[in-house]
Amino acid sequence: MAKKSAGPSIDELVTQALVRIATADAPQRLTGKGDPAPLFASAAGANKAALERLQNEAEPLVVTTGSGKAAPVRLTAAGFALALPHLPPESVGGAAKALAATFHLAERVEFLQEIVSRSPDSTAELYSVQEIAGAELQAETEARVAKAVKRREADDRWKSLIELQRKQRIDALTRELEAEGGKVPPPAANNAPPERTREPHSEPLVPKTAADVGYHRQVVRRLVSSWAQQWDHGKHEGRQAMETALGGMTGMRRIGSAGETVAFDGAVHESGRAVSEGERVKVVRPGWQLIEEEGPLTLLKTRVE
Amino acid sequence: MADRVFCIDLGSAFTKVGLRRGRRANSDLVTDSRLTTLDDLRLCLPTTVAIDFSSTPAKPIFGDAALDRRPGKTMRVFANWKKELFAEAARSEALPVASQTAPPPRTPSRLESLLNSNEFLHFATRYGVAPTDVASLQKLLSSAATILAPPPAAGSVVMTTADSDAFKVAVLFFRHLRRVVLEVCRAGKIDIPNPELIPARLSVPAFAPEKDLSSHRGCRWLVEAMQRAEWTPVDHRPIVSEPYANAIGVLTRGSNCTREKEMLQNGLLATCLSEPKTHPEYRAVVIDVGAFTVDFAALTYRPEGQRTLNEVEFERHELSVPLGVSELDAAVLGILPHRQVAYLRDQASANDWMAFRPRVYSERQFFPTPHGEICSGDDVKGIGYAIQNYADRLSEQTAAFFSTFPDASFKELILTGGGNTIPAIQDALISAAEAGREKFRKVHLPAVGIAGMQRKGTSQQPVAVLDGRLTRGATALGGSGSFFDMDREPYPLPTA
């Protein structure tokens, strides 16, 4: 008797569902009855595991856009990224465009950048969307900055007013006391309440909990990996943008500058040839370290020759 | 019983050190940037040693600086000297070989070299032959060659420690390790007086039954190298097997309390000890998928009457097989385009590999290289095949190991080692271990991938997620635990 062939794996079920959502013209439902047919006929067996994976709380691949069991779903950025290698190239742009519209501005810009870097054929189709999103993001940022400036000016005026009123009150009381024949006591230096110092706003935010530290490391590792890719491909603009982002991350330190001559230190340098410690070498690609409380964490060694 | 103990878990790729500061103090791992700056936990000192011969005397290079070194006319890199040392020690004397001992490496025939070459794999791919079929062919030929090979000429070339480069490297490495560990202890982070007086225990692969390890030639060489580097071996049990120490590390989490309930974290073994009539047998199995080897250990305990932890001695079945994650790396390299292979082999740093494995094997996400992304196009399927094929090979070994316990039921399954952060490997090992028998009552697993995703358990089978410290450091933690001291039978080093 012929052996019954095994059904699709959970990964395959998940991928099939993601691709269907990405390429469908109408909203799709995970389960339930009615038209159009749901993505999964039932929520039992392998489908159950696939549904759990799709709606995993830690990293959902889809989110519902309504309420009830039969609510339609849309992809998350993570879901789209997973479906991307399986999508026909001609449908990537359209699908990404539609999905991008459901994201907030900053998320939209990041999502589109990711899609274009992974699927260069979609650049033309996504250019205008990215342009608009970039402009909107810029405008939003500028509006926020203007609002902050306005608020700070109002704060300053308020402080000046309070100070002026305080001085006027002291003057009035002093005059009243002198009129009564009293003497104004000298200011008691030691009794004055200590001036409260405030942490400067420029103090970097340091991740404190183990989860924060882990997340911070994960983010910087991925950024450094993408930076190295931009460097290796000679994409200067992308590289500079990532350097700006990396420079703004707490604790990031760049090791070396391209063209600089340094003494070889195997702990932070790597070379394609046998090099002795201390030998003079030229930096061809800088490296990155994350400075933490326990010491440096080398994320990328500096490449030298 | 020594009050304070270091345990050196000498891995082929990375070495970890555990420390017990006092008789009943909990064990901890020695972590510091002086050991490494490449690993988040600053725990894994690279075991690789490079020797620079460009000056006289030659200069040894250790730690992060020894990784990513290219060999050359004046540079020799010992990337897996532990394996070389064991092979050379085996040649030093015709020793009776225990049944579990992995045979010394055999030189592959030309036909095997052809079948294992990248060129052959490319050729097979071009003709549409699935990587699993190629792997089966490789395995078939390898098995045939092993059967037909003449028996090894034991003792034909007698080695001594003076002849062995690997032994000399071992002495240098242990000296460096001691210097760094003592520096960390003195720097105030650990804050322990006179660390130089603390004796050390060494964990080794399960070459032989526990009591015979101290007379195993390779282990003797390692202990001699340690002594030359001024480490003092612990009197009581100077050597423990890695799987055993690993299991104790996971079950106790480094606790050295006097009460077993606290020491065993109220686990199933603690229940078994306190209610021997209701639970007449406890059995746990540990599978550690490391860089070069996979270690299996089954621990069985049958309480006959009420016992204290001091009296607990497990029956042990251990096995080490040379099927580490480096095998998966080789299979994946076999299906990638030539330029990406050249990049990963010759240019990618240890850091790149540390990022590559979780990203591609665990998360199945693309990995960027200067020659295009890996795991983002046509290669996705091939990488999937390679992972599945490797998982199948691990399953076979797991099934073979479990076949020695046909009717036994197991309480706990403990998966450790870097290889076990791959979901497909976890699935395969759990399925193979549970095939045809009762499900495990509890499973201990590492988190998956860079993001540290955690597997969900069920009420019937709860999952204990092991953090990075336990996934990588359980052997050092367990080896430094008071469990191996107490009032157990001593297995001291044989007198000269």
Side-chain angles (χ1 to χ4, degrees):
Chain A
M1 198 173 98
K3 199 178 169 186
K4 195 179 172 184
S5 64
S9 68
I10 292 161
D11 280 351
E12 283 167 345
L13 286 172
V14 169
T15 309
Q16 282 167 12
L18 294 174
V19 170
R20 268 185 63 187
I21 299 169
T23 52
D25 296 328
Q28 298 288 306
R29 292 176 291 122
L30 290 176
T31 54
K33 290 176 182 171
D35 283 328
L39 294 164
F40 295 93
S42 75
N47 289 352
K48 189 182 173 192
L51 284 163
E52 280 173 4
R53 173 76 189 91
L54 286 165
Q55 299 176 99
N56 183 308
E57 276 178 26
E59 194 192 27
L61 302 175
V62 298
V63 288
T64 50
T65 55
S67 58
K69 268 188 171 180
V73 291
R74 70 163 174 82
L75 295 178
T76 61
F80 193 86
L82 208 60
L84 188 57
H86 308 280
L87 293 178
E90 65 279 5
S91 65
V92 170
K97 211 169 172 177
L99 184 59
T102 64
F103 294 152
H104 291 296
L105 265 180
E107 198 185 354
R108 190 186 310 166
V109 171
E110 195 183 338
F111 170 72
L112 291 169
Q113 277 173 354
E114 170 76 9
I115 299 305
V116 168
S117 72
R118 290 187 55 193
S119 176
D121 291 345
S122 61
T123 309
E125 200 165 347
L126 296 177
Y127 182 83
S128 59
V129 190
Q130 176 71 327
E131 196 177 33
I132 293 166
E136 282 177 16
L137 188 63
Q138 178 73 17
E140 196 181 273
T141 309
E142 279 168 11
R144 222 172 28 240
V145 170
K147 197 175 167 188
V149 169
K150 215 169 166 183
R151 196 177 57 227
R152 204 192 58 218
E153 284 171 359
D155 277 356
D156 289 346
R157 282 204 303 276
W158 177 262
K159 277 180 200 162
S160 305
L161 179 65
I162 296 294
E163 183 61 17
L164 181 69
Q165 286 173 341
R166 193 176 70 89
K167 278 183 182 164
Q168 286 171 346
R169 178 80 181 133
I170 291 171
D171 284 348
L173 287 170
T174 306
R175 282 199 302 275
E176 201 175 315
L177 186 65
E178 283 168 351
E180 294 284 344
K183 263 189 173 179
V184 181
N190 291 338
N191 293 342
E195 239 182 71
R196 286 175 65 187
T197 53
R198 288 180 61 184
E199 292 291 316
H201 288 297
S202 57
E203 187 80 9
L205 293 170
V206 180
K208 289 194 171 65
T209 64
D212 286 349
V213 170
Y215 182 73
H216 187 64
R217 284 175 186 160
Q218 188 194 342
V219 170
V220 293
R221 274 192 193 285
R222 298 225 161 163
L223 274 174
V224 166
S225 163
S226 305
W227 175 87
Q229 190 189 13
Q230 301 287 323
W231 181 287
D232 290 337
H233 287 289
K235 293 181 179 172
H236 297 292
E237 281 180 23
R239 199 189 83 204
Q240 279 169 354
M242 307 220 66
E243 278 169 11
T244 309
L246 281 166
M249 306 286 293
T250 304
M252 287 304 292
R253 184 170 75 186
R254 197 173 145 134
I255 328 168
S257 306
E260 180 186 13
T261 303
V262 293
F264 185 80
D265 172 5
V268 288
H269 295 149
E270 62 180 37
S271 171
R273 62 181 177 89
V275 186
S276 298
E277 291 291 303
E279 193 178 320
R280 302 301 290 174
V281 287
K282 194 171 149 189
V283 173
V284 291
R285 190 210 57 206
W288 290 91
Q289 275 188 332
L290 175 64
I291 309 301
E292 296 182 324
E293 212 173 309
E294 303 114 280
L297 188 62
T298 306
L299 305 172
L300 183 71
K301 283 188 175 182
T302 303
R303 195 180 292 157
V304 298
E305 62 178 20
Chain B
M1 165 181 162
D3 284 353
R4 308 184 299 168
V5 174
F6 282 122
C7 175
I8 302 171
D9 172 20
L10 179 71
S12 303
F14 294 99
T15 294
K16 286 78 72 180
V17 178
L19 168 64
R20 189 178 80 230
R21 298 150 186 260
R23 187 166 282 252
R24 292 294 171 203
N26 289 348
S27 295
D28 215 337
L29 294 166
V30 177
T31 60
D32 194 84
S33 296
R34 291 173 184 83
L35 292 168
T36 181
T37 67
L38 298 175
D39 146 38
D40 287 358
L41 299 175
R42 291 145 177 108
L43 159 69
C44 300
L45 176 75
T47 310
T48 300
V49 176
I51 311 278
D52 184 353
F53 294 97
S54 63
S55 57
T56 310
K59 196 179 161 199
I61 302 163
F62 306 100
D64 293 353
L67 286 177
D68 312 320
R69 292 311 267 252
R70 306 289 167 211
K73 279 183 189 169
T74 58
M75 183 74 68
R76 205 168 153 199
V77 181
F78 292 85
N80 193 1
W81 56 262
K82 183 177 147 187
K83 188 177 170 188
E84 289 170 36
L85 181 139
F86 284 129
E88 288 173 2
R91 286 163 59 195
S92 70
E93 192 179 75
L95 289 169
V97 179
S99 60
Q100 298 100 326
T101 308
R106 184 173 51 78
T107 311
S109 67
R110 288 181 183 182
L111 186 56
E112 281 177 279
S113 302
L114 169 69
L115 287 189
N116 287 311
S117 68
N118 284 327
E119 290 82 359
F120 183 79
L121 283 166
H122 283 305
F123 202 58
T125 310
R126 197 185 303 160
Y127 278 84
V129 180
T132 45
D133 293 338
V134 176
S136 301
L137 185 62
Q138 288 167 341
K139 203 172 159 194
L140 184 69
L141 181 67
S142 170
S143 305
T146 307
I147 292 165
L148 298 174
S156 56
V157 180
V158 177
M159 293 280 294
T160 65
T161 50
D163 302 324
S164 165
D165 283 348
F167 179 81
K168 291 170 198 161
V169 169
V171 175
L172 291 172
F173 176 78
F174 279 122
R175 202 169 282 155
H176 170 73
L177 180 70
R178 183 168 175 79
R179 188 177 57 76
V180 174
V181 168
L182 294 185
E183 257 180 46
V184 174
C185 290
R186 286 175 184 138
K189 186 174 176 184
I190 290 184
D191 192 21
I192 187 164
N194 306 318
E196 66 284 355
L197 302 178
I198 303 175
R201 174 175 289 133
L202 182 68
S203 68
V204 296
F207 287 119
E210 211 69 21
K211 63 181 166 49
D212 298 331
L213 280 175
S214 53
S215 51
H216 180 276
R217 178 64 55 170
C219 301
R220 293 292 309 279
W221 275 31
L222 276 181
V223 170
E224 192 181 331
M226 275 174 68
Q227 287 171 314
R228 287 203 197 177
E230 297 179 14
W231 289 96
T232 308
V234 179
D235 290 336
H236 196 69
R237 286 194 185 182
I239 303 173
V240 288
S241 77
E242 285 165 10
Y244 194 11
N246 192 9
I248 296 301
V250 172
L251 292 174
T252 63
R253 257 78 167 162
S255 170
N256 292 316
C257 299
T258 43
R259 284 181 299 178
E260 58 266 26
K261 267 193 173 183
E262 285 163 17
M263 182 160 181
L264 299 167
Q265 314 289 313
N266 290 311
L268 299 174
L269 178 55
T271 312
C272 196
L273 284 167
S274 60
E275 298 166 29
K277 282 185 183 166
T278 329
H279 303 281
E281 186 177 82
Y282 169 84
R283 198 175 249 142
V285 68
V286 186
I287 307 176
D288 182 75
V289 182
F292 295 100
T293 58
V294 178
D295 297 324
F296 296 89
L299 309 182
T300 307
Y301 174 63
R302 293 185 190 88
E304 288 159 2
Q306 200 78 15
R307 290 209 166 184
T308 65
L309 196 59
N310 274 4
E311 297 164 307
V312 170
E313 193 71 86
F314 290 99
E315 274 176 41
R316 291 176 303 280
H317 290 82
E318 294 161 317
L319 175 69
S320 284
V321 288
L323 191 58
V325 182
S326 55
E327 293 282 315
L328 174 59
D329 295 337
V332 169
L333 287 181
I335 54 164
L336 294 177
H338 177 69
R339 293 176 74 188
Q340 288 181 344
V341 172
Y343 169 77
L344 286 174
R345 278 225 169 113
D346 307 328
Q347 292 175 38
S349 63
N351 240 329
D352 291 328
W353 276 100
M354 278 159 73
F356 175 82
R357 291 192 186 102
R359 212 170 150 132
V360 174
Y361 300 162
S362 302
E363 298 178 2
R364 304 293 289 278
Q365 294 232 1
F366 73 95
F367 179 81
T369 76
H371 309 290
E373 288 166 357
I374 295 174
C375 198
S376 73
D378 298 340
D379 58 357
V380 172
K381 223 171 195 171
I383 291 171
Y385 274 134
I387 294 172
Q388 198 48 55
N389 180 255
Y390 176 62
D392 291 345
R393 290 170 70 194
L394 286 175
S395 296
E396 279 172 28
Q397 294 291 344
T398 307
F401 180 72
F402 274 85
S403 67
T404 53
F405 312 94
D407 304 318
S409 68
F410 286 81
K411 305 284 185 204
E412 295 185 72
L413 173 67
I414 301 164
L415 302 184
T416 58
N420 267 319
T421 60
I422 305 170
I425 304 295
Q426 291 183 354
D427 291 341
L429 293 182
I430 295 172
S431 300
E434 286 183 337
R437 67 180 75 234
E438 200 182 319
K439 279 183 172 293
F440 292 98
R441 296 272 298 281
K442 190 172 186 181
V443 178
H444 303 254
L445 296 168
V448 168
I450 295 177
M453 286 174 69
Q454 299 182 353
R455 198 187 183 97
K456 282 181 185 164
T458 62
S459 55
Q460 285 79 35
Q461 191 178 62
V463 164
V465 177
L466 306 177
D467 58 14
R469 179 174 157 270
L470 279 173
T471 306
R472 286 178 277 176
T475 303
L477 208 56
S480 64
S482 58
F483 183 88
F484 289 103
D485 295 295
M486 298 193 168
D487 298 328
R488 286 166 213 291
E489 189 185 343
Y491 301 145
L493 293 170
T495 46

